[in-house]
């Protein structure tokens, strides 16, 4: 979450922010299961835009064409300057992975010098979401072009969350390449997608050896613990 | 023809125009443009533009010495990344390190000396001129009957200057602040009859008993947490973690077993495990042979009834025996402890009890997780525990690296009624119930410092943090402060060596040993130190994000030891608790909830001031800390600075 915020110029929480009004392109949820012996099992679920395939629900409801599906990469892009802030897409998204910017971006004095010049600051009044570090992808494409190819090498494009995760719990790769590590990984037992039954064909896969985690997450994500601060 | 325009015509024209305008895109475009204009106020922050570069260095926020790569725009760091090949961190960073480049701009940053009146954490700070601050400090130091010079990061090159200051000032004592990890290590080392140094090797452990140690949260090193996760994910040898804590934490959640004990009863719990090991004869055979007072420990523990212990901890005696059996049979096992030092000595007793438990389970044996190696010839520095309560008139705390002291609870106990706390820190962090003068220090990334450490396998390490920013005007580093204080108090104006000279001396002595290897960040290779021709070359490597690590020390036969030497403080405290009819553990947890304990969240170990961006975790995610007051202290700005009268 922090690496994502640094990379994408997401400001510190505004005074009065709650977990319903905050801006976190990636949000980590705590999921618990009460055992028979009063013990509790806990897992953490990083939830970002699931990059639904072909016809994402958010794209079809957007009156402004502010959501664009890129058939080449499969990434669902969000174009903030086109967004009028109607929030239909937030309603349509079954993963609650979209966030409305309620406030103008502000940083403590001087900290604006640490903003990433490759990414714009987050404007108020629009809906945003994870774009798989679009700035980094562009950089990788430019590197590829400079070396005379249009194919982005895997090691040159690593989203901020993947780079920062100290336990290497997040991976990225080319699902379309059957020989890739990620294509092999998604075929291993225990790998699943969230709300697969909706037919959104998300391109984010999760893996857990625990059956209760798979069952709970495939059924619903509404059972994650929700804490509301200040209402 | 009458061409007079009637009022009706005018109204019809106006109405038609308004309707026509509404049907045209013009008003909607204006509305949209004005909305976009208000969404992009000219005063909204814009990123810096300029050439992009990378700066390799080392994180000095804690002693782990993780490798850092600053991505800079026009020489200004805009993000922090790990260095995958770095031997100390393997590319991992903790949240504090990931946001290290923000610290310079933290709202609690000060640029001039301030005075804080004694009182609550939410206090007003009065700015002072440098002259006023040194006059006030000099006066208090001259009249002080007992001064303690606290070093929040001992073993740095600059620590020598602090020791020198303590020797020069009248009635002054140098006291290093050791980490919680060091406290268990020191307790265990003190049991042996010969001088040994101890280190923990977690890679060989099969069962860990973590008594409040934030193991999963890094336990002072994110790389260590990553290694533990790897093993738990099945990519290494199996590891079973039992976490003992009265309150929830991330480690408690992720551990294989969370043993929930009554608040404050952790030390009694460890004694209960020791008792169970003795009762069932599960102690390591070597320990029975080599401990010179095994029988004495047994008889000392005999009067403490197991029922009393289980009542204090809030669990059955059987449960204690089950845990003891696992530690004895599913070895190698290791017990670790953590927790803020407290005024009643419970923390010291806990570390002592844990050290004793480790000796009883044989964790010091060959191939076991506790490594005993070469004896230390260094003079043992006094600990804060040994200072008489209420006797200290002045605390001089060098918090320039850590940002804050970790022994706040002890300061309140040891300080006299009119005690003055002088802190050298980049931030205003109100401490205890005394008056405080804070002298501004350079923030992380503004100063040069060395980062000495010890790896898990006992290797000594050394790396160097270089300034990535120009230091703010009016700040003091440790060496400057000591020189200024000596001038103010003793009137001496000796030319003391600079920080750079001190670090270069240390580097020269490392090179002279000819031992160990150097990680060169330029080509990400590790070379023997012998391949470097001069100390200048080693300096160049270390200031470019490199790291030196010494040879792995060979295990040393530890000979005999005395268990009672370390177990006594825990047993005495236990006896005291038993005698005290108003023991705090006898309450029922439901009817009398424990008093809130102010602790620093495990994720922030080693630093108490981190970027305000941490509010993303505090406010907006399921990672909300279990002790939000720690985050309030860490990321908010509770101090307002009065406008200067000048």
């Amino acid at each position: 979450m922090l690496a994502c915020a640094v990379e994408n110029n997401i400001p510190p929480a505004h005074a009065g922010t709650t977990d319903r009004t905050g801006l976190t392109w990636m949000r980590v949820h705590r999921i618990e299961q009460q055992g028979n012996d009063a013990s509790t099992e806990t897992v953490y679920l990083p939830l970002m835009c699931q990059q639904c395939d072909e016809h994402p629900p958010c794209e079809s409801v957007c009156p402004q064409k502010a959501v664009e599906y890129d058939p080449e990469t499969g990434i669902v892009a969000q174009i903030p300057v086109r967004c009028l802030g109607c929030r239909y897409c937030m309603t349509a998204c079954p993963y609650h992975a979209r966030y409305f910017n309620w406030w103008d971006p502000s940083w403590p004095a001087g900290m604006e010098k640490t903003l990433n010049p490759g990414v714009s600051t987050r404007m108020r009044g629009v809906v945003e979401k994870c774009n798989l570090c679009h700035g980094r992808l562009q950089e990788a494409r430019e590197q590829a072009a400079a070396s005379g190819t249009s194919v982005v090498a895997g090691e040159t494009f690593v989203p901020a969350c993947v780079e920062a995760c100290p336990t290497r719990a997040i991976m990225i790769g080319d699902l379309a390449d059957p020989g890739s590590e990620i294509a092999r990984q998604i075929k291993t037992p225990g790998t699943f997608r969230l709300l697969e039954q909706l037919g959104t064909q998300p391109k984010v896969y999760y893996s857990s050896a625990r059956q209760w985690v798979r069952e709970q997450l495939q059924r619903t994500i509404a059972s994650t613990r929700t804490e509301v601060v200040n209402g | 023809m009458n061409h007079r325009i009637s009022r009706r015509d005018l109204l019809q024209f106006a109405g038609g125009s308004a309707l026509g305008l509404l049907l045209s895109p013009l008003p909607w475009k204006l509305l949209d443009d004005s909305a976009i204009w208000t969404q992009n106020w000219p005063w909204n922050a814009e990123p810096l533009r300029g050439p992009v570069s990378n700066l390799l260095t080392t994180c000095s926020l804690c002693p782990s010495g993780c490798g850092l790569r600053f991505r800079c725009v026009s020489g200004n760091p805009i993000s922090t990344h790990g260095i995958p090949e770095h031997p100390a961190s393997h590319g991992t960073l903790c949240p504090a390190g990931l946001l290290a480049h923000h610290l310079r701009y933290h709202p609690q940053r000060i640029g001039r000396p301030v005075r804080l009146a004694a009182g609550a954490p939410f206090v007003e700070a009065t700015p002072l001129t440098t002259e006023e601050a040194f006059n006030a400090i000099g006066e208090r130091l001259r009249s002080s009957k007992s001064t303690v010079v606290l070093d929040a990061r001992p073993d740095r090159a600059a620590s020598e200057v602090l020791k020198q200051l303590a020797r020069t000032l009248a009635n002054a004592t140098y006291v290093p602040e050791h980490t919680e990890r060091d406290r268990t290590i020191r307790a265990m080392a003190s049991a042996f009859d010969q001088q040994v140094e101890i280190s923990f090797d977690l890679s060989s452990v099969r069962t860990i008993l973590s008594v409040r140690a934030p193991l999963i949260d890094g336990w002072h090193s994110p790389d260590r947490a990553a290694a533990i996760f790897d093993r738990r994910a099945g990519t290494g040898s199996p590891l079973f973690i039992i976490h003992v804590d009265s309150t929830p934490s991330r480690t408690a959640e992720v551990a294989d077993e969370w043993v929930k004990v009554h608040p404050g009863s952790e030390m009694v719990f460890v004694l209960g495990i020791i008792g169970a090991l003795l009762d069932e004869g599960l102690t390591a055979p070597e320990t029975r042979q080599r401990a010179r007072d095994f029988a004495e420990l047994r008889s000392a523990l005999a009067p403490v009834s197991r029922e009393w212990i289980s009542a204090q901890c809030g669990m059955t005696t059987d449960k204690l025996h089950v845990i003891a059996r696992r530690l004895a049979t599913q070895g190698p096992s290791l017990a670790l402890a953590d927790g803020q030092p407290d005024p009643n000595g419970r923390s010291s007793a806990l570390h002592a009890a844990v050290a004793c438990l480790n000796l009883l389970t044989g964790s010091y044996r060959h191939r076991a997780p506790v490594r005993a190696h070469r004896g230390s010839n260094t003079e043992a520095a006094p600990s804060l525990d040994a200072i008489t309560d209420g006797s200290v008139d002045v605390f001089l705390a060098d918090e320039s690296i850590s940002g804050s002291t970790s022994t706040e609870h002890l300061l309140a106990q040891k300080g006299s009624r009119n005690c003055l706390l002088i802190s050298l820190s980049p931030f205003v962090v109100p401490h205890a119930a005394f008056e405080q003068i804070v002298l501004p220090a350079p923030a992380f990334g503004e100063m040069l410092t060395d980062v000495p450490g010890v790896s898990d396998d006992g290797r000594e390490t050394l790396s160097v943090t270089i300034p990535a920013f120009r230091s703010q005007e009016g700040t003091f580093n440790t060496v400057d402060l000591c020189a200024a204080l000596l001038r103010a108090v003793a009137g001496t104006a000796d030319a003391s060596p600079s920080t750079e000279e001190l670090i270069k001396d240390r580097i020269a002595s490392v090179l002279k040993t000819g031992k160990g290897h150097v990680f060169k960040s330029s080509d990400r290779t590790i070379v023997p130190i012998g391949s470097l021709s001069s100390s200048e070359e080693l300096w160049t490597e270390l200031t470019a994000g490199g790291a030196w690590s010494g040879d792995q020390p060979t295990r040393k036969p530890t000979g005999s030891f005395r268990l009672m030497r370390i177990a006594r403080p825990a047993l005495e405290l236990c006896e005291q608790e038993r005698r005290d009819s108003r023991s705090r553990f006898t309450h029922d947890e439901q009817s009398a909830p424990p008093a809130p304990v102010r602790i620093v969240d495990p994720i922030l170990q080693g630093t108490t001031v981190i970027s305000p961006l941490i509010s993303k975790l505090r406010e907006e995610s399921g990672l909300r800390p279990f002790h939000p007051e720690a985050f309030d202290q860490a990321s908010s700005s509770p101090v307002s600075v009065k406008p200067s009268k000048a």
Side-chain angles (χ1 to χ4, degrees):
Chain A
M1 284 178 68
L2 297 174
C4 172
V6 170
E7 174 69 23
N8 294 296
N9 292 338
I10 296 174
H14 193 278
T17 313
T18 69
D19 50 4
R20 289 187 302 174
T21 56
L23 179 61
T24 48
W25 290 4
M26 167 177 275
R27 181 170 290 185
V28 180
H29 294 262
R30 176 185 284 123
I31 302 169
E32 292 170 347
Q33 163 92 338
Q34 203 74 36
N36 294 333
D37 55 348
S39 63
T40 306
E41 274 195 88
T42 307
V43 293
Y44 295 102
L45 175 84
L47 187 72
M48 72 294 265
C49 171
Q50 302 292 297
Q51 309 294 344
C52 302
D53 208 19
E54 295 292 342
H55 299 294
C58 54
E59 186 198 26
S60 56
V61 299
C62 181
Q64 290 286 95
K65 299 266 179 220
V67 184
E68 273 190 3
Y69 176 78
D70 180 353
E72 187 206 340
T73 60
I75 295 173
V76 180
Q78 176 77 20
I79 300 142
V81 286
R82 284 192 201 160
C83 177
L84 59 78
C86 68
R87 287 169 271 173
Y88 287 174
C89 53
M90 288 176 70
T91 313
C93 176
Y95 302 103
H96 303 284
R98 296 180 148 266
Y99 300 91
F100 183 70
N101 290 2
W102 287 91
W103 292 281
D104 281 321
S106 65
W107 283 265
M111 209 176 278
E112 68 279 355
K113 288 181 192 150
T114 63
L115 296 180
N116 181 1
V119 178
S120 59
T121 51
R122 314 269 50 100
M123 61 195 283
R124 173 179 48 81
V126 298
V127 174
E128 295 199 85
K129 67 167 194 81
C130 164
N131 55 22
L132 276 183
C133 288
H134 181 73
R136 290 188 178 211
L137 179 60
Q138 274 308 112
E139 238 173 74
R141 280 175 166 158
E142 281 163 23
Q143 271 185 41
S147 55
T149 173
S150 61
V151 181
V152 172
E155 64 276 10
T156 59
F157 170 54
V158 182
C161 54
V162 179
E163 183 192 342
C165 180
T167 57
R168 295 173 286 277
I170 311 175
M171 292 172 69
I172 190 162
D174 184 0
L175 287 170
D177 175 6
S180 67
E181 169 63 15
I182 201 85
R184 189 192 62 75
Q185 196 74 35
I186 63 169
K187 288 182 188 135
T188 54
T191 304
F192 61 98
R193 294 187 281 185
L194 297 183
L195 304 179
E196 222 165 343
Q197 66 274 29
L198 296 182
T200 51
Q201 300 288 316
K203 287 187 284 294
V204 176
Y205 288 77
Y206 291 84
S207 178
S208 176
R210 301 177 213 205
Q211 195 180 349
W212 71 264
V213 176
R214 297 197 297 273
E215 284 177 356
Q216 189 167 336
L217 292 178
Q218 280 175 303
R219 188 170 62 240
T220 170
I221 57 167
S223 54
T224 57
R225 193 168 82 181
T226 306
E227 293 179 63
V228 178
V229 178
N230 301 330
Chain B
M1 260 176 88
N2 186 359
H3 288 289
R4 282 189 60 200
I5 298 169
S6 66
R7 194 169 62 176
R8 178 181 292 262
D9 292 337
L10 268 175
L11 286 172
Q12 276 179 343
F13 177 74
S17 302
L19 196 65
L21 199 65
L22 278 178
L23 294 173
S24 79
L26 186 68
W28 311 110
K29 178 68 181 160
L30 277 173
L31 201 64
D32 197 28
D33 281 355
S34 58
I36 290 174
W37 177 59
T38 66
Q39 286 168 319
N40 294 282
W41 296 119
W43 53 84
N44 280 354
E46 284 296 323
L48 284 177
R49 309 284 168 189
V52 176
S53 58
N54 285 307
L55 178 75
L56 301 176
T57 185
T58 302
C59 180
S60 57
L61 292 173
C62 83
S64 301
C66 299
L68 286 189
R69 175 173 63 86
F70 281 131
R71 185 165 178 254
C72 306
V73 171
S74 298
N76 209 58
I78 60 155
S79 58
T80 312
H81 309 260
I83 301 174
E85 300 83 2
H86 197 280
S89 55
H90 300 101
T92 59
L93 289 179
C94 69
L98 192 71
L99 305 176
H101 61 293
H102 287 171
L103 286 177
R104 183 173 196 244
Y105 310 106
H106 197 282
Q108 276 174 252
R109 181 82 200 274
I110 49 166
R112 58 186 303 181
V114 293
R115 184 197 293 273
L116 279 78
F122 291 82
V123 294
E124 218 172 29
T126 313
L128 302 171
T129 63
T130 307
E131 196 183 349
E132 283 170 345
F134 278 100
N135 284 344
I137 292 169
E139 197 179 309
R140 291 297 291 270
L141 282 175
R142 278 190 291 271
S143 62
S144 168
K145 289 186 181 132
S146 170
T147 300
V148 168
V149 178
L150 275 174
D151 188 355
R153 189 67 57 76
D155 304 328
R156 289 171 295 156
S159 297
E160 288 306 316
V161 184
L162 287 170
K163 286 179 194 169
Q164 177 65 35
L165 176 71
R167 282 194 290 268
T168 311
L169 293 176
N171 309 319
T173 315
Y174 169 83
V175 174
E177 287 187 52
H178 287 287
T179 62
E180 288 298 294
R181 178 169 172 254
D182 288 339
R183 288 161 77 89
T184 300
I185 287 175
R186 282 158 62 89
M188 202 183 306
S190 67
F192 291 95
D193 290 334
Q194 52 186 301
Q195 276 206 321
V196 290
E197 284 197 357
I198 300 278
S199 61
F200 292 147
D201 180 7
L202 295 191
S203 64
S204 63
V205 185
R206 277 178 68 198
T207 305
I208 293 182
L209 178 71
S210 149
V211 187
R212 298 192 65 185
L215 208 58
I216 304 288
D217 298 284
W219 200 51
H220 306 277
S221 163
D223 187 40
R224 191 179 287 119
I228 288 173
F229 267 100
D230 277 352
R231 288 178 64 185
R232 289 170 57 79
T235 50
S237 52
L239 176 67
F240 193 89
I241 298 174
I242 305 167
H243 187 70
V244 182
D245 206 339
S246 57
T247 52
S249 68
R250 272 178 286 281
T251 304
E253 284 187 332
V254 182
D256 295 286
E257 189 174 351
W258 171 22
V259 181
K260 196 174 177 190
V261 294
H262 282 163
S265 68
E266 291 86 358
M267 181 271 296
V268 178
F269 167 84
V270 177
L271 285 182
I273 299 289
I274 291 174
L277 285 172
L278 293 172
D279 288 349
E280 294 203 24
L282 292 171
T283 50
E286 265 187 63
T287 304
R288 292 198 289 275
Q289 289 159 14
R290 289 165 56 186
R292 296 206 282 156
D293 52 358
F294 189 79
E296 198 182 331
L297 174 70
R298 186 190 282 277
S299 59
L301 206 60
V304 187
S305 80
R306 307 299 180 255
E307 287 69 30
W308 180 82
I309 287 179
S310 65
Q312 297 303 302
C313 304
M315 67 179 62
T316 61
T317 316
D318 287 348
K319 180 72 183 169
L320 291 168
H321 280 260
V322 167
I323 296 170
R325 262 178 243 132
R326 177 172 270 280
L327 289 174
T329 58
Q330 304 293 312
S333 60
L334 179 65
L336 303 167
D338 211 322
Q340 287 276 308
D342 54 14
N344 54 20
R346 197 168 280 119
S347 169
S348 310
L350 171 64
H351 284 286
V354 164
C356 182
L357 176 59
N358 278 327
L359 285 173
L360 287 172
T361 54
S363 61
Y364 57 92
R365 290 175 297 180
H366 186 57
R367 295 182 189 280
V370 173
R371 291 168 164 269
H373 39 88
R374 64 187 167 70
S376 171
N377 296 321
T378 52
E379 189 187 338
S383 74
L384 208 50
D385 299 316
I387 307 271
T388 313
D389 290 357
S391 66
V392 181
D393 291 332
V394 177
F395 281 110
L396 176 61
D398 177 9
E399 303 161 0
S400 53
I401 291 189
S402 60
S404 178
T405 178
S406 62
T407 47
E408 189 181 334
H409 293 77
L410 281 177
L411 297 192
Q413 184 189 3
K414 304 295 176 186
S416 66
R417 214 167 158 188
N418 296 315
C419 182
L420 172 70
L421 173 61
I422 305 161
S423 329
L424 175 66
S425 171
F427 313 105
V428 183
V429 181
H431 282 308
F434 336 113
E435 183 187 1
Q436 192 180 349
I437 293 178
V438 188
L439 297 167
F444 174 76
E446 290 180 348
M447 70 178 148
L448 176 72
T449 183
D450 55 332
V451 190
V454 179
S455 66
D456 264 356
D457 56 5
R459 291 172 203 264
E460 283 185 90
T461 60
L462 180 68
S463 41
V464 176
T465 302
I466 54 166
F469 305 96
R470 205 173 52 198
S471 182
Q472 194 171 300
E473 286 290 316
T475 55
F476 301 89
N477 63 31
T478 306
V479 173
D480 295 340
L481 174 73
C482 291
L485 283 177
L486 285 175
R487 272 197 301 276
V489 180
T492 55
D494 292 345
S496 52
S498 67
T499 310
E500 184 173 330
E501 286 166 335
L502 288 167
I503 297 173
K504 281 186 169 174
D505 284 350
R506 169 168 277 203
I507 285 176
S509 62
V510 163
L511 188 71
K512 205 180 278 181
T513 63
K515 290 179 179 170
H517 291 76
V518 176
F519 167 69
K520 297 169 81 171
S521 61
S522 51
D523 53 5
R524 315 286 165 100
T525 54
I526 294 177
V527 297
I529 195 169
S531 66
L532 303 180
S533 55
S534 66
S535 61
E536 200 58 40
E537 200 180 340
L538 182 54
W539 161 263
T540 307
E541 291 300 339
L542 296 189
T543 52
W548 168 79
S549 63
D551 288 339
Q552 187 174 341
T554 47
R555 284 176 187 260
K556 180 178 177 179
T558 42
S560 57
F561 51 84
R562 287 178 183 272
L563 292 166
M564 284 301 287
R565 205 180 274 163
I566 47 176
R568 186 164 285 116
L571 287 164
E572 281 172 1
L573 188 60
C574 183
E575 184 55 34
Q576 190 185 318
E577 301 285 0
R578 284 171 60 219
R579 279 200 307 268
D580 185 358
S581 57
R582 294 167 299 167
S583 170
R584 57 179 291 200
F585 308 139
T586 52
H587 63 65
D588 176 64
E589 202 182 343
Q590 298 300 321
S591 59
V597 181
R598 188 164 167 235
I599 70 156
V600 175
D601 192 86
I603 211 165
L604 307 179
Q605 285 288 327
T607 178
T608 55
V609 177
I610 56 172
S611 165
L613 203 58
I614 201 75
S615 56
K616 304 310 286 183
L617 302 186
R618 182 183 60 179
E619 302 287 352
E620 301 173 355
S621 81
L623 294 184
R624 188 164 297 124
F626 297 101
H627 304 283
E629 69 277 9
F631 269 73
D632 288 340
Q633 186 205 1
S635 58
S636 66
S637 177
V639 178
S640 62
V641 180
K642 277 187 197 166
S644 169
K645 285 175 189 166

